[in-house]
Amino acid sequence: MGEIQRPGALYRQVAAAIRDAILSGEFEPGAPLPSEAHLIDRYNVSRPTVRNAIAALRAEGLIEVIHGKGSFVRSAPPSAFTMDRAVSRDAEGAYAIGTEGWQLHEEPSIYRTSVAFGEEQEPEETAFGVDRLWVDPDTGVRIAHRTLIPFRTAEGTELEQAPDTPPEKIYALLAEAGHKLRWTETARARMPLPDERTTLQLPDATPVLHTTRTTYGRKNAALLREEFRVNGDRAQAAYRITTESTRQLRAVRD
C-alpha cells in the first residue's frame, strides 16, 4: 500500500487506515496487529507516527496493548454480566438485593468520610464508608460496592460497632426500627478513575457503569447510600418496574 493520501494530521490518517482495516475484517478481532516495522513500510511513515496512531486507536477502544506481547485488535466483549437491581423480601422479613452468588474478593474496608445525602443538595455529614470488592464467579467480572451510612442512622444501633453489616441486614434493622423503606436509584456510564481501572481490571477505553441507590425511611429521610461500579462493557443492570399511585408515594414519604 502506498502513502496515505487523506487530509489531516499524519498519525490520524494512519489511524483511519488501520481502523478501516479492522472494520473490514482484514485485521480480525483478537488477532495481533502487524508489527511497527510492517506498519511503517505499509504506510510509508515514521515510527512516532505509527505509535501515535496506535495510541489514538487504543484510546478509542479498538486496540488493546498487552505488555510483553504487543498490540491486539480488541475482541468483542464476552457474555454480559447482569446485575439484578431489585430489592425483595421474603415472608420472614429477610431482604435480598441481588448480590447472592457473588464472591467477596477482599475483606471489607471501613473508614469515616463526609457526604451529602438526600435527593436535594444538602450539607455534608459524617458517615461510615464500607468498601467491598465482589467477583461474579460465572463471568469473572469485578464489582466495587460502597456503602455509606450516616452517623445519625448508625447511632444507637449495632451499626455503630459493625458498620460492615451487609446492606440486606441493614435494611432489616431499619425496618425493625419502624422505618417504611423505599429506594431510589440512578445509573450512569462514565470513564473510570485510575484506581478504578486497576481495581476492576478494565481494558483500555472502557467505561464504568455506576449505579447509586439511596434508602429512605420516615419523613423521607435518607438513611443509607450504596454505590456499585462495574465494567460498563460487560455489565447490564436489570430493574423490576412496578406502578405506584401518587397517593401511595405521598403516604410513603410522610
Side-chain angles (χ1 to χ4, degrees):
M1 182 175 294
E3 293 187 32
I4 297 294
Q5 298 297 325
R6 302 182 188 185
L10 192 56
Y11 83 90
R12 292 187 183 277
Q13 298 176 43
V14 174
I18 297 174
R19 186 187 304 111
D20 288 346
I22 292 173
L23 297 179
S24 70
E26 180 182 354
F27 301 154
E28 296 182 351
L33 206 63
S35 67
E36 282 187 356
H38 179 92
L39 295 174
I40 289 169
D41 290 341
R42 174 172 175 140
Y43 299 117
N44 194 24
V45 294
S46 66
R47 188 176 302 275
T49 297
V50 166
R51 289 182 175 177
N52 286 337
I54 297 300
L57 294 172
R58 183 180 179 185
E60 291 180 20
L62 285 177
I63 288 175
E64 60 181 332
V65 176
I66 301 176
H67 294 293
K69 295 185 178 180
S71 300
F72 291 77
V73 179
R74 191 167 179 177
S75 300
S79 57
F81 160 66
T82 299
M83 289 197 303
D84 181 2
R85 306 303 301 134
V87 177
S88 60
R89 193 179 190 188
D90 63 22
E92 297 179 353
Y95 285 87
I97 63 171
T99 58
E100 299 77 20
W102 296 359
Q103 296 175 351
L104 193 62
H105 186 72
E106 298 175 357
E107 290 300 312
S109 171
I110 305 171
Y111 53 93
R112 296 188 179 192
T113 186
S114 295
V115 65
F117 290 87
E119 294 179 341
E120 299 179 358
Q121 188 61 37
E122 298 178 2
E124 290 189 347
E125 55 183 299
T126 307
F128 290 111
V130 182
D131 287 349
R132 293 177 172 88
L133 181 61
W134 300 91
V135 176
D136 174 59
D138 295 328
T139 62
V141 170
R142 292 184 166 202
I143 310 101
H145 177 198
R146 174 167 294 163
T147 306
L148 298 167
I149 310 168
F151 277 16
R152 57 178 165 79
T153 297
E155 186 176 5
T157 75
E158 62 187 70
L159 299 176
E160 286 185 303
Q161 301 301 320
D164 58 341
T165 298
E168 60 270 26
K169 293 186 178 180
I170 297 179
Y171 293 175
L173 288 173
L174 296 175
E176 290 170 5
H179 291 282
K180 188 171 183 180
L181 303 181
R182 72 176 184 89
W183 297 267
T184 63
E185 183 158 306
T186 60
R188 65 189 178 104
R190 60 172 175 80
M191 296 310 294
L193 300 173
D195 62 325
E196 291 173 328
R197 282 196 60 190
T198 301
T199 299
L200 300 177
Q201 297 183 342
L202 301 178
D204 294 333
T206 301
V208 167
L209 175 62
H210 187 153
T211 63
T212 301
R213 171 181 293 171
T214 304
T215 304
Y216 295 89
R218 288 189 296 267
K219 299 186 181 298
N220 204 32
L223 303 175
L224 183 73
R225 178 177 297 164
E226 296 169 77
E227 298 178 3
F228 289 83
R229 290 158 291 158
V230 64
N231 184 331
D233 198 31
R234 297 190 59 189
Q236 58 187 9
Y239 293 85
R240 185 178 301 124
I241 299 174
T242 60
T243 59
E244 290 183 297
S245 70
T246 303
R247 180 178 299 176
Q248 286 176 318
L249 288 174
R250 281 202 300 267
V252 168
R253 295 178 182 179
D254 292 342

